Amino acid sequence: MKLILLGAPGAGKGTVAKMLTEMDGSVQISTGDILRGAVQAGTELGKQAQAYMDAGDLVPDELIMGIMEKRLQEPDCEKGFLLDGFPRTIPQAEALKVLLDKLGIKLDMAVNIDVPRDVILDRLTTRRTCSNTDCQAIYNVKSNPPKVEGICDKCGSPVIQRADETEEAISHRLETYNEKTAPLIGFYENEGLCVTVNATNSDDVINAIKERLAA
Ligand SMILES: [Zn+2]
């Protein structure tokens, strides 16, 4: 399948993408993961991206588009792909449409995962990440805390709140999403590709996607 996953930060796009890859071997392509990898590697691109991400801002297109074009042409995309966190703006969506046409790729749908703001704030501000970059285990202070407070179960390193997951940064990310990314729903509706799912449970989202693919 070839899907775009839309939804605010914390709507569960990453979780849904992982479940879908296990269904048919489609590959998950997350701009966030690519960018965080660059940050950890300490590349010039990574350093530039880090400043934006720490502030809860979107990373500029010129840092993203080139990466995406190369990525979509890699052999593992032949079975399909799930774009998670990209495109984020109308100009990116337009650029992606041109790119996909050029590559002869046809999207199945753009899935809009619609989760209430209070649920998202609660999910993200309670998330904690292992500070060891080789581990990066993810915890949740409410639903999945480490056995010893503040210490990673797997490697013993300190468990921290990411700079882009404080309440202030998340509020800023949600504002940015509503301003720049939410209009993508209209864009893909016009393309006849948008499917909106009102669900806070990933299984419900998966079932809605399966129904649509089978239709
Ligand atoms: Zn760890």
Side-chain angles (χ1 to χ4, degrees):
M1 66 188 93
K2 298 180 175 73
L3 299 189
I4 292 173
L5 294 170
L6 301 174
K13 297 187 297 294
T15 305
V16 167
K18 281 197 177 64
M19 292 165 78
L20 292 171
T21 58
E22 285 159 14
M23 276 169 51
D24 76 346
S26 296
V27 63
Q28 178 187 4
I29 300 178
S30 158
T31 319
D33 285 346
I34 295 170
L35 290 173
R36 274 193 287 277
V39 168
Q40 281 157 26
T43 62
E44 190 53 40
L45 174 77
K47 285 175 190 160
Q48 290 175 34
Q50 183 164 35
Y52 289 98
M53 288 190 277
D54 284 351
D57 280 326
L58 295 175
V59 176
D61 288 357
E62 58 267 34
L63 297 181
I64 296 174
M65 291 305 297
I67 301 173
M68 199 52 66
E69 178 162 1
K70 287 198 180 77
R71 185 68 191 87
L72 287 173
Q73 294 177 82
E74 286 174 23
D76 63 345
C77 288
E78 278 170 19
K79 281 187 181 171
F81 54 81
L82 311 151
L83 295 181
D84 162 20
F86 180 90
R88 280 187 163 167
T89 63
I90 294 289
Q92 284 182 354
E94 286 168 346
L96 179 66
K97 183 172 153 66
V98 171
L99 175 62
L100 293 177
D101 283 346
K102 189 173 101 181
L103 299 176
I105 296 170
K106 193 171 178 301
L107 289 173
D108 292 309
M109 69 183 103
V111 182
N112 171 35
I113 307 172
D114 194 8
V115 177
R117 179 191 166 89
D118 58 333
V119 175
I120 286 174
L121 268 176
D122 189 59
R123 270 185 195 171
L124 292 186
T125 57
T126 53
R127 192 142 86 180
R128 298 293 181 270
T129 307
C130 177
S131 58
N132 175 358
T133 53
D134 292 328
C135 173
Q136 289 189 306
I138 291 174
Y139 298 91
N140 185 291
V141 293
K142 286 185 183 169
S143 60
N144 178 31
K147 290 190 184 74
V148 179
E149 192 184 334
I151 301 294
C152 179
D153 293 348
K154 291 179 184 162
C155 75
S157 301
V159 168
I160 57 164
Q161 184 173 39
R162 271 177 24 192
D164 63 350
E165 291 181 346
T166 62
E167 186 159 352
E168 191 185 1
I170 290 162
S171 293
H172 186 63
R173 284 164 72 192
L174 289 175
E175 279 168 29
T176 306
Y177 174 79
N178 285 329
E179 182 189 326
K180 294 201 174 144
T181 311
L184 288 176
I185 295 160
F187 179 92
Y188 287 110
E189 277 171 355
N190 287 338
E191 299 278 309
L193 291 171
C194 190
V195 176
T196 292
V197 185
N198 298 292
T200 54
N201 178 313
S202 302
D203 290 322
D204 295 344
V205 179
I206 298 290
N207 287 334
I209 292 170
K210 278 185 185 167
E211 275 175 30
R212 170 71 183 230
L213 282 172

